């Protein structure tokens, strides 16, 4: 579903993404793991067509981001920064419907999708309230629903549980797992090793724009002869900080 090929991004003197290559399949949850500034968010923004790469390309369901960016955008759902892009004076339903319309959905299709998402994300009781005074967790649910109301095949999530309490985080985790059952390709960035181990079929470790390792949790534990994923991670990126 996603093919990242020799992907690079240069910001003046900084190479934020440096010749990345990886593939993500349908029905697979892949975590991008790395420290702040590693290039995770930049990689996701390039895949989403929000920014242009300076080298290489990405194909989403066979469509090249450099050649048909609008067609790529119709096939992906994006959540960056949680509540960014929500309108406080609108209700939760109105926020989600607005993005459904932007993605060309008919009224009936939008109504059906909004109904299903509100039930799955446990938002029915406040769907018709203005979101200005919503909690962080409530806004995050609306933001997620907004990003996938058009039922995309690919979902990109940048730290989707950051700042959420345990119950809200668990609900988001269950939702991500359900998207996998629907055969969607899910990519998310995270700082949480516990979250990555709980959700991911595979992880990609990025450091200073480069991919330093990838594989399943079990593969990496076997390769480095350790059950401590945090230590494996630190060993991979720590020596490169000098």
């Amino acid at each position: 579903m996603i093919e990242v090929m020799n992907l690079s991004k240069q910001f003046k003197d900084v190479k934020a993404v440096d010749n990345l290559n990886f593939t993500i399949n349908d029905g697979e949850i892949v975590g991008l793991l790395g420290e702040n500034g590693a290039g995770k968010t930049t990689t996701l923004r390039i895949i989403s067509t929000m920014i242009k790469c300076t080298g290489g390309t990405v194909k989403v369901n066979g469509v090249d981001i450099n050649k048909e960016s609008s067609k790529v955008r119709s096939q992906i759902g994006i959540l960056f920064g949680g509540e960014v892009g929500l309108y406080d004076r609108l209700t939760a339903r109105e926020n989600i419907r607005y993005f459904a319309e932007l993605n060309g959905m008919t009224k009936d299709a939008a109504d059906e999708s909004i109904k299903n998402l509100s039930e799955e994300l446990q938002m029915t009781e406040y769907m018709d309230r203005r979101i200005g005074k919503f909690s962080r967790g409530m806004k995050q649910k609306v933001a997620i629903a907004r990003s996938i109301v058009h039922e995309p095949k690919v979902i990109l999530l940048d730290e989707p549980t950051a700042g959420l309490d345990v119950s809200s985080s668990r609900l988001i985790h269950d939702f991500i797992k359900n998207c996998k059952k629907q055969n969607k390709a899910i990519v998310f960035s995270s700082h949480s090793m516990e979250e990555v181990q709980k959700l991911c079929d595979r992880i990609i470790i990025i450091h200073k724009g480069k991919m330093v390792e990838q594989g399943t949790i079990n593969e990496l534990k076997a390769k480095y002869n350790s059950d401590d994923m945090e230590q494996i991670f630190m060993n991979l990126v720590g020596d490169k900080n000098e």
Side-chain angles (χ1 to χ4, degrees), residues 45-145:
R45 287 183 182 275
I46 294 172
I47 295 171
S48 72
T49 76
M50 293 176 70
I51 60 176
K52 291 186 177 182
C53 58
T54 50
T57 192
V58 179
K59 288 186 177 180
V60 177
N61 197 25
V63 182
D64 193 309
I65 61 168
N66 292 323
K67 298 177 180 177
E68 298 181 271
S69 58
S70 61
K71 189 173 181 180
V72 169
R73 284 193 290 273
S74 70
Q75 300 186 57
I76 59 178
I78 314 160
L79 176 62
F80 292 108
E83 66 202 55
V84 173
L86 297 178
Y87 299 98
D88 287 353
R89 293 187 178 184
L90 299 182
T91 67
R93 188 184 306 278
E94 289 168 340
N95 268 279
I96 301 168
R97 181 179 298 284
Y98 175 59
F99 280 85
E101 292 174 356
L102 287 179
N103 281 283
M105 297 185 75
T106 65
K107 182 180 182 303
D108 289 345
D111 286 343
E112 181 68 18
S113 182
I114 291 169
K115 176 180 180 293
N116 293 338
L117 286 169
S118 68
E119 292 173 353
E120 188 173 357
L121 292 169
Q122 299 178 17
M123 302 189 297
T124 52
E125 65 183 65
Y126 54 82
M127 283 293 290
D128 295 301
R129 288 165 47 192
R130 292 184 180 181
I131 70 167
K133 295 184 179 179
F134 280 14
S135 69
R136 174 63 186 270
M138 292 162 70
K139 286 184 176 181
Q140 189 78 323
K141 291 178 187 179
V142 176
I144 289 176

Side-chain angles (χ1 to χ4, degrees), residues 21-46:
N21 290 275
F22 59 83
T23 301
I24 297 168
N25 303 310
D26 292 337
E28 186 177 34
I29 304 174
V30 175
L32 296 183
L33 192 63
E35 299 173 307
N36 287 332
K40 304 184 303 297
T41 298
T42 300
T43 300
L44 291 178
R45 287 183 182 275
I46 294 172

Side-chain angles (χ1 to χ4, degrees), residues 31-40 189-194 196-197 203-208 210-214 217 220-221 223-241:
L32 296 183
L33 192 63
E35 299 173 307
N36 287 332
K40 304 184 303 297
S189 70
S190 178
H191 286 106
S192 170
M193 185 64 71
E194 180 182 358
V196 166
Q197 291 188 82
I203 64 171
I204 295 170
I205 299 175
I206 299 176
H207 184 64
K208 294 185 178 180
K210 294 179 179 288
M211 182 173 67
V212 295
E213 188 59 276
Q214 69 169 321
I217 298 296
L220 296 181
K221 286 181 176 179
K223 180 175 180 178
Y224 294 98
N225 194 28
S226 174
D227 287 328
D228 189 340
M229 279 301 302
E230 286 191 2
Q231 189 59 54
I232 292 172
F233 173 78
M234 291 307 301
N235 290 342
L236 285 167
V237 305
D239 292 340
K240 298 173 179 59
N241 283 323

